Amino acid sequence: MIEIAIMGHGVVGSGVAGIITTHKKKLFASIGEEIHIKHILDLREFPDSPLADRFTKDFEDIINDVEVRVVAEVMGGINPAYDYTKRLLKAGKSVVTSNKELVAAKGAELLQIAKENNANFLFEASVGGGIPIIRPLSQCLVANEVKEIAGILNGTTNFILTKMFDEGMDFDSALKLAQDLGFAERNPAADVEGHDACRKICILASLAFGKHVYPDNIHTEGITEITLADVKYAASMDSVIKLIGDVKLLDGGKMDIFVAPMLISKKSQLANIDNEFNGIMVRGDCTGDVVFYGKGAGSMPTASAVVADIVDCCKHLKARKYLFWADSTNDNIISYNESKTAVYLRLSTTDRETALAKVKEFFGDVQVLSIENEAENELAVITPVLSVEQITTALSELEKDGITALSNIRIGDL
Amino acid sequence: MIEIAIMGHGVVGSGVAGIITTHKKKLFASIGEEIHIKHILDLREFPDSPLADRFTKDFEDIINDVEVRVVAEVMGGINPAYDYTKRLLKAGKSVVTSNKELVAAKGAELLQIAKENNANFLFEASVGGGIPIIRPLSQCLVANEVKEIAGILNGTTNFILTKMFDEGMDFDSALKLAQDLGFAERNPAADVEGHDACRKICILASLAFGKHVYPDNIHTEGITEITLADVKYAASMDSVIKLIGDVKLLDGGKMDIFVAPMLISKKSQLANIDNEFNGIMVRGDCTGDVVFYGKGAGSMPTASAVVADIVDCCKHLKARKYLFWADSTNDNIISYNESKTAVYLRLSTTDRETALAKVKEFFGDVQVLSIENEAENELAVITPVLSVEQITTALSELEKDGITALSNIRIGDL
């Protein structure tokens, strides 16, 4: 029997306890021993839980229990999860987590502490919920040089964008629907402004390229500015708009990494990933494109990934898994200004003919888009591939001539 | 330094040798030791290879070399791969293979021998080429009861079906194009008749449900009978036709497993997997649907999966991986006659009105399909869900009335 503890009894934590109880036989067959939940840490009371006798409000009960070998951290947030995880690893206990904020902010340090103490620190559930991605990336694709990872990493924003495309809902109505259905938080900023996706692409980049990528200085755009006009122009190009976390390895070894909405051709595998689903494309030099798809969040998918990590720790109580990356100062990342892309621009103008001439002057050979019932005072174009700096400069030149960018969205090559 | 041997220097084997040479640094970082290819077994001569000095025609050079710890079997076929693999495992050497025929026919026995000799027998490359599926299924999804696995498991047939749908090519022309492009063998029977897909779904079923499923008695249909009329009727239902390997766990614990073409709604994630690509959907009780997509064959994708297994063996020279399933007699599989499905039928008739009345008499409430320029003497319908036995019986009744089934294709619920 292997004694474990679970820190947090919210949406994910209660799912973890549930799966360990209901899937006992399957887990036993895999490990050859029974997993036993000895402690559950939560400040709330759960008198009606069948596990009521396991609850504690005191972390010291877990850290001081020498029988506990594996701990699931499913509290979320940096504090006190960071402090607890550090102390547990230092005590030689393995920790598994679904906490992307913690992994994105402190992953390198925690992996180093785990290594020094011959313990494991696993986090399959931190990206893509129940979609296997961390283990495939670190094990199955180990014989590949990863060239690019691009993913729809946030279910809330993907749900909103799908509703905008499929049902013509505007952003505010789609967000409200997502909130009503429980796909979005009451305070949706972390999702709709791209920060959640940013943490996840940073974790994937750290893993794929072996150096911690901190989310702090990564260019992050959300979807709050996307309008139904943009949706229609995208559709006119047989494209959809998806919020993409993208990291690309450039010649010379630096990374181009950002989170931004992108126009994606409907032929792309990522274009058909709709509603609350997530999808992650890994471009390897040997495999070509491999795509992983599924529910990126939710109690049971996420909890099942946490339990898979618990199982892995139980199988590796004495041996360490080789999941690791080194610390870094983000010095291997290019400035976003250097990032190169074609963009879709929707411009406000009083005179389309003159505006188009001006646009061509600053952007070169653009492709003009048109839709039914086009706004008279708007011009939509696709630019050639340029650096973000070139695009910004050209837009400020246009601004001087009274031509303002209403929308400015990257064209994805995925 | 870890000494390995490669048996076979064909498409996959030369790729394995290539990746180990070109990705030396990445592999070293993952293992902490260098992989060194000591022997390559092939009956042919490769005097110009940079590894020319490693070649041998004698298997005894490998089995008798105590330094060799891991062997990649990439010869294909049952003989002599089966005999060699058995002897290597008995000698305590780990074996990795891309050989689906071997795993499907002898997996349980070889896993047992590996277990008894504290060696590993891994086969990530045997299903889905470079797509990670074996490891995700056995590790990441371990906290799930798998309910169903359905996959496009053969790139050749998927390429042919895509050409029939997208370009209106008939089967023979599409097969010829696939052969010209190197996606199909000169003798394409194993692909187009479904046997290759059958081996793969048997391997996935064995792994997911813990008991060996032998391909011998599994119902296996190919795509040779599919016509452009079927393609048009499928399109009229917003569906495509895909060759699907499917295994479903029924209430009561028995499996429904088969390979057959299926009409799949365009909304399904599997419907958008085109050309030579493979895709595998795993339906878990906790994760819901998870889909894995990528190139299912080819030298480099397959070789990279073989190398990932070599790396895993190198990391587990003393510990065993827990990949295992027990032997079985296929007694946990229902007869195909008991399998339940709706089907699309294209019937030949001299009188559509009378035929439809007869069809309704035997099949109940069918949905009639229509396409432009429909053949006058044909009637296409979708039946309700029935057992295969009920469908067969009804069709033989219709046959007595001069109504013959030209096509009979399952409707997928994927």
Side-chain angles (χ1 to χ4, degrees):
Chain A
M1 198 153 77
I2 299 172
E3 300 286 356
I4 72 158
I6 304 171
M7 303 196 300
H9 198 66
V11 171
V12 178
S14 57
V16 171
I19 291 173
I20 290 175
T21 311
T22 54
H23 291 58
K24 188 169 278 203
K25 221 171 126 184
K26 184 152 200 289
L27 300 176
F28 183 90
S30 173
I31 305 173
E33 279 196 77
E34 191 183 319
I35 298 175
H36 181 256
I37 302 169
K38 195 165 177 192
H39 307 285
I40 302 175
L41 180 70
D42 205 294
L43 294 180
R44 295 165 297 176
E45 312 258 345
F46 296 88
D48 300 331
S49 162
L51 301 171
D53 59 327
R54 323 289 170 84
F55 279 85
T56 174
K57 291 173 187 169
D58 188 358
F59 172 71
E60 305 301 322
D61 286 346
I62 295 172
I63 187 88
N64 292 325
D65 188 334
V66 290
E67 286 185 354
V68 170
R69 306 292 302 273
V70 181
V71 180
E73 184 282 295
V74 284
M75 300 185 288
I78 300 284
N79 290 312
Y82 168 53
D83 182 48
Y84 289 177
T85 300
K86 214 162 48 169
R87 288 182 60 196
L88 289 164
L89 292 171
K90 283 185 176 168
K93 299 182 197 298
S94 289
V95 178
V96 309
T97 185
S98 57
N99 188 336
K100 59 219 163 211
E101 208 180 334
L102 178 66
V103 179
K106 304 290 183 184
E109 182 187 353
L110 294 170
L111 284 166
Q112 180 63 34
I113 296 172
K115 191 178 178 183
E116 286 164 4
N117 293 279
N118 203 34
N120 284 302
F121 178 57
L122 305 182
F123 40 85
E124 180 64 70
S126 67
V127 181
I131 308 171
I133 180 66
I134 300 290
R135 203 171 271 102
L137 196 55
S138 63
Q139 294 185 24
C140 307
L141 301 176
V142 68
N144 279 264
E145 295 285 351
V146 174
K147 297 297 180 191
E148 182 169 6
I149 302 175
I152 297 169
L153 299 167
N154 179 272
T156 306
T157 44
N158 203 38
F159 178 86
I160 293 170
L161 290 170
T162 304
K163 290 290 158 195
M164 292 176 76
F165 269 83
D166 289 0
E167 298 175 26
M169 294 176 85
D170 63 19
F171 174 80
D172 291 330
S173 313
L175 171 59
K176 188 170 179 311
L177 178 63
Q179 287 172 323
D180 290 347
L181 291 172
F183 292 144
E185 311 267 349
R186 285 300 122 191
N187 177 356
D191 291 324
V192 298
E193 289 171 9
H195 303 299
D196 176 77
C198 183
R199 289 172 191 140
K200 292 170 181 169
I201 194 67
C202 285
I203 294 172
L204 296 176
S206 303
L207 187 61
F209 303 117
K211 284 191 174 180
H212 196 112
V213 177
Y214 288 94
D216 313 351
N217 304 311
I218 305 302
H219 175 84
T220 302
E221 272 174 74
I223 62 163
T224 53
E225 307 290 314
I226 291 172
T227 67
L228 287 177
D230 300 327
V231 166
K232 284 179 197 155
Y233 280 114
S236 81
M237 295 177 61
D238 257 334
S239 294
V240 292
I241 300 175
K242 296 289 184 188
L243 182 66
I244 302 287
D246 196 352
V247 59
K248 208 179 295 183
L249 194 65
L250 302 176
D251 295 340
K254 289 209 172 189
M255 275 181 232
D256 184 8
I257 178 169
F258 57 86
V259 173
M262 277 192 187
L263 266 74
I264 307 280
S265 157
K266 279 191 182 158
K267 287 184 187 152
S268 159
Q269 278 297 316
L270 293 182
N272 298 303
I273 292 165
D274 285 332
N275 294 310
E276 74 274 27
F277 286 84
N278 285 16
I280 301 159
M281 185 273 286
V282 181
R283 191 163 278 174
D285 65 342
C286 297
T287 52
D289 292 359
V290 178
V291 178
F292 303 83
Y293 162 93
K295 281 195 182 147
S299 172
M300 293 313 271
T302 308
S304 83
V306 173
V307 176
D309 276 351
I310 293 175
V311 168
D312 215 357
C313 286
C314 289
K315 287 179 179 177
H316 288 85
L317 285 180
K318 285 166 195 161
R320 280 197 66 253
K321 303 284 297 180
Y322 288 71
L323 193 64
F324 192 73
W325 63 67
D327 205 356
S328 161
T329 54
N330 280 16
D331 58 350
N332 53 341
I333 296 169
I334 62 166
S335 134
Y336 189 64
N337 269 333
E338 296 172 57
S339 184
K340 287 192 176 126
T341 182
V343 291
Y344 147 85
L345 298 174
R346 187 164 57 89
L347 302 158
S348 117
T349 167
T350 46
D351 172 2
R352 294 181 91 240
E353 282 309 301
T354 316
L356 182 56
K358 282 278 170 200
V359 166
K360 283 186 174 170
E361 182 184 329
F362 294 115
F363 283 98
D365 198 16
V366 299
Q367 175 194 346
V368 178
L369 303 181
S370 74
I371 53 172
E372 275 182 40
N373 305 319
E374 199 157 17
E376 255 179 53
N377 58 347
E378 287 183 17
L379 171 68
V381 298
I382 305 292
T383 73
V385 173
L386 296 164
S387 74
V388 168
E389 185 164 30
Q390 286 172 312
I391 294 164
T392 312
T393 307
L395 286 177
S396 58
E397 290 299 325
L398 287 178
E399 183 81 48
K400 289 179 195 161
D401 292 313
I403 303 162
T404 306
L406 304 171
S407 302
N408 171 2
I409 306 178
R410 293 180 73 112
I411 308 293
D413 167 31
L414 303 172
Chain B
M1 199 155 74
I2 299 173
E3 300 285 357
I4 72 157
I6 304 171
M7 305 197 298
H9 198 65
V11 173
V12 178
S14 58
V16 170
I19 290 173
I20 290 175
T21 311
T22 54
H23 291 59
K24 188 170 277 205
K25 221 171 125 184
K26 184 152 200 288
L27 300 176
F28 182 90
S30 174
I31 306 173
E33 281 197 75
E34 192 183 321
I35 298 176
H36 180 254
I37 302 169
K38 194 164 176 193
H39 308 284
I40 301 174
L41 180 69
D42 205 295
L43 295 179
R44 295 165 296 176
E45 313 256 345
F46 296 89
D48 300 329
S49 162
L51 301 170
D53 59 326
R54 323 288 170 85
F55 279 85
T56 174
K57 292 173 184 167
D58 189 356
F59 171 70
E60 305 302 323
D61 286 347
I62 295 172
I63 187 89
N64 293 327
D65 189 334
V66 290
E67 285 184 354
V68 171
R69 305 293 301 274
V70 181
V71 180
E73 184 282 296
V74 284
M75 300 185 289
I78 300 284
N79 291 310
Y82 168 53
D83 182 48
Y84 288 177
T85 300
K86 213 160 50 168
R87 289 181 61 197
L88 289 164
L89 292 171
K90 283 185 176 168
K93 298 183 198 299
S94 289
V95 179
V96 309
T97 185
S98 58
N99 188 335
K100 59 218 162 212
E101 207 179 338
L102 178 67
V103 179
K106 305 290 182 185
E109 183 188 352
L110 294 171
L111 284 166
Q112 180 62 32
I113 296 171
K115 189 178 179 184
E116 286 163 6
N117 292 278
N118 203 33
N120 284 302
F121 178 56
L122 304 182
F123 40 85
E124 180 64 69
S126 67
V127 181
I131 308 172
I133 179 66
I134 300 290
R135 203 171 271 100
L137 198 53
S138 63
Q139 294 184 25
C140 307
L141 301 176
V142 69
N144 278 263
E145 295 285 351
V146 173
K147 296 297 182 192
E148 182 169 6
I149 302 175
I152 296 169
L153 299 167
N154 179 273
T156 306
T157 44
N158 203 38
F159 178 86
I160 292 170
L161 290 170
T162 303
K163 289 291 159 194
M164 292 176 75
F165 269 83
D166 288 0
E167 298 175 26
M169 294 177 84
D170 63 20
F171 174 81
D172 290 330
S173 314
L175 171 58
K176 187 169 180 312
L177 178 63
Q179 287 173 323
D180 291 347
L181 292 173
F183 293 142
E185 311 267 349
R186 285 299 123 194
N187 178 357
D191 290 324
V192 298
E193 289 170 8
H195 302 299
D196 176 75
C198 184
R199 288 173 192 137
K200 293 170 181 168
I201 193 68
C202 285
I203 293 171
L204 295 177
S206 303
L207 187 61
F209 303 116
K211 284 190 173 181
H212 196 111
V213 176
Y214 288 95
D216 312 351
N217 303 309
I218 304 302
H219 175 84
T220 303
E221 272 173 75
I223 62 163
T224 53
E225 308 290 315
I226 291 172
T227 67
L228 288 177
D230 300 327
V231 165
K232 284 178 195 155
Y233 280 113
S236 80
M237 295 177 62
D238 257 334
S239 294
V240 293
I241 300 174
K242 295 290 183 187
L243 183 65
I244 302 287
D246 196 352
V247 59
K248 206 179 296 183
L249 194 65
L250 303 176
D251 295 339
K254 289 209 171 187
M255 273 181 232
D256 183 8
I257 177 169
F258 58 85
V259 173
M262 275 191 189
L263 267 74
I264 308 279
S265 157
K266 279 191 183 159
K267 286 183 188 154
S268 159
Q269 277 298 316
L270 293 183
N272 298 304
I273 291 164
D274 286 332
N275 293 310
E276 74 274 27
F277 286 83
N278 286 16
I280 301 160
M281 184 274 287
V282 180
R283 190 163 277 173
D285 64 342
C286 297
T287 52
D289 292 359
V290 177
V291 178
F292 303 85
Y293 162 93
K295 280 194 182 150
S299 171
M300 295 314 270
T302 308
S304 83
V306 172
V307 175
D309 276 351
I310 293 174
V311 168
D312 215 357
C313 285
C314 289
K315 287 179 181 176
H316 289 84
L317 285 179
K318 283 164 195 164
R320 280 196 66 249
K321 303 283 297 178
Y322 287 72
L323 192 66
F324 191 74
W325 63 68
D327 205 356
S328 160
T329 54
N330 279 19
D331 58 350
N332 53 341
I333 296 168
I334 63 165
S335 135
Y336 190 62
N337 269 334
E338 296 173 57
S339 184
K340 287 191 176 128
T341 182
V343 291
Y344 148 85
L345 298 173
R346 187 166 55 91
L347 302 158
S348 119
T349 169
T350 47
D351 174 1
R352 294 181 91 240
E353 283 306 303
T354 317
L356 182 55
K358 283 279 170 199
V359 166
K360 284 185 173 169
E361 183 184 328
F362 293 115
F363 282 97
D365 197 17
V366 298
Q367 175 192 347
V368 178
L369 303 181
S370 75
I371 53 172
E372 273 183 40
N373 305 319
E374 199 158 16
E376 255 180 53
N377 57 348
E378 288 182 15
L379 171 67
V381 298
I382 306 292
T383 73
V385 173
L386 297 164
S387 74
V388 167
E389 186 166 30
Q390 286 172 312
I391 294 164
T392 311
T393 307
L395 285 177
S396 60
E397 290 298 324
L398 287 178
E399 183 80 51
K400 288 179 195 162
D401 292 315
I403 303 163
T404 306
L406 303 171
S407 302
N408 171 2
I409 305 178
R410 293 179 73 113
I411 308 292
D413 167 31
L414 303 172

